[in-house]
Amino acid sequence: MSATPTDSQPPDATLLQSRRLVEYQKAQDSAQHHDTLAASTISTFLGASLVLLGFVVNNLQRRNELRVILTILGIVAVLITIAIWINAFLFNSIKRQKYRRCQALEDPLGFEQHRTLRYPQGIQRVVLSIVLAMLLVAWAAIILFANDLCPFR
């Protein structure tokens, strides 16, 4: 009968190295997957919001007859923008956690791919936040204007 590792017996170094390599690959695959999810979610929702923006802006001169629909679309667009923000931060948080796990596994594996990478952290989050905040302000102004509540006319 061959000996198998149990809680009292440590696995041999080759098996441990193999398990670390699989975990490293899975963490990296998951990080890339969540990065792709973030990018596709942002682009899809942002595209939908911009299509709504085009429709609403083209119909603002008819705001008296379309007030209800313009207001509803404005509220939907605000919710879409908030969804973009939430999803971007959630997916990026998961991605960062997975890459941190890759970094932790690199030393025992003798890798340097993620540990030596240097870049300005957080710049994409700042830019996305600025763009989404500006979009929220634009939608708020449109909702106010469509309801004749805008003080800047």
Side-chain angles (χ1 to χ4, degrees):
M1 180 176 200
S2 64
T4 58
T6 63
D7 291 338
S8 62
Q9 292 178 313
D12 71 339
T14 305
L15 181 59
L16 183 59
Q17 194 77 347
S18 176
R19 287 180 179 168
R20 284 182 179 148
L21 183 57
V22 169
E23 183 180 356
Y24 181 85
Q25 290 169 334
K26 295 295 183 185
Q28 183 163 319
D29 289 346
S30 181
Q32 290 170 342
H33 170 72
H34 285 89
D35 192 34
T36 301
L37 277 176
S40 63
T41 301
I42 291 167
S43 61
T44 301
F45 281 146
L46 196 54
S49 184
L50 294 176
V51 166
L52 282 177
L53 183 64
F55 173 79
V56 170
V57 167
N58 282 335
N59 287 288
L60 277 178
Q61 71 277 6
R62 297 174 50 204
R63 69 183 177 277
N64 289 334
E65 59 191 277
L66 298 175
R67 185 174 318 254
V68 173
I69 190 71
L70 293 176
T71 301
I72 290 170
L73 290 177
I75 292 168
V76 166
V78 166
L79 295 174
I80 287 172
T81 305
I82 292 168
I84 293 170
W85 224 326
I86 291 169
N87 281 305
F89 281 99
L90 290 176
F91 290 142
N92 283 321
S93 173
I94 294 169
K95 177 187 76 173
R96 286 190 307 274
Q97 291 174 54
K98 297 297 183 172
Y99 278 133
R100 278 196 295 273
R101 184 60 189 146
C102 287
Q103 289 172 333
L105 288 166
E106 283 182 352
D107 191 35
L109 290 170
F111 296 166
E112 294 184 3
Q113 174 70 20
H114 302 291
R115 288 184 299 150
T116 59
L117 183 64
R118 300 290 178 248
Y119 61 93
Q121 293 186 3
I123 192 74
Q124 290 176 327
R125 284 188 304 269
V126 169
V127 171
L128 180 64
S129 293
I130 290 169
V131 168
L132 293 178
M134 291 173 63
L135 193 55
L136 285 174
V137 168
W139 278 113
I142 287 170
I143 292 169
L144 291 173
F145 184 79
N147 289 284
D148 293 324
L149 300 172
C150 187
F152 305 112
R153 290 199 283 154

